[in-house]
Amino acid sequence: GDVMGDLPNAVVKRLLSKHGDGLRVSGSAIEQAVDAAEDYIGRLAREAHASAIADKRKTIMDSDIQKAREKLT
């Protein structure tokens, strides 16, 4: 089987259902959403990391995440 990701399927399933007007979500759809979310968070992390490094910091701050979100939208 697939190697389990870092993001719990149950959390993603709950969010999909909550924002999907309570519809049920298939197992494979949950896996696809987990992959997409982990991909987005990975890209967010890389952008935020670059922002922190550019400011000579070793900590990713709120502002780094905000900049990264703007860049990724």
Side-chain angles (χ1 to χ4, degrees):
D2 291 318
V3 176
M4 198 166 164
D6 295 318
L7 207 55
N9 283 16
V11 172
V12 175
K13 179 181 181 179
R14 190 166 60 243
L15 288 167
L16 286 171
S17 187
K18 176 182 163 186
H19 295 288
D21 207 23
L23 291 179
R24 294 200 313 265
V25 186
S26 76
S28 55
I30 292 165
E31 287 173 18
Q32 289 284 313
V34 166
D35 286 347
E38 288 181 350
D39 179 67
Y40 176 77
I41 292 169
R43 288 185 288 135
L44 194 68
R46 287 188 289 278
E47 290 292 344
H49 172 263
S51 175
I53 295 300
D55 282 352
K56 296 177 173 48
R57 285 185 279 103
K58 291 184 177 178
T59 305
I60 292 174
M61 307 295 281
D62 304 27
S63 59
D64 300 315
I65 297 292
Q66 287 161 4
K67 282 181 208 164
R69 285 187 73 180
E70 285 165 20
K71 200 163 182 183
L72 293 176
T73 353

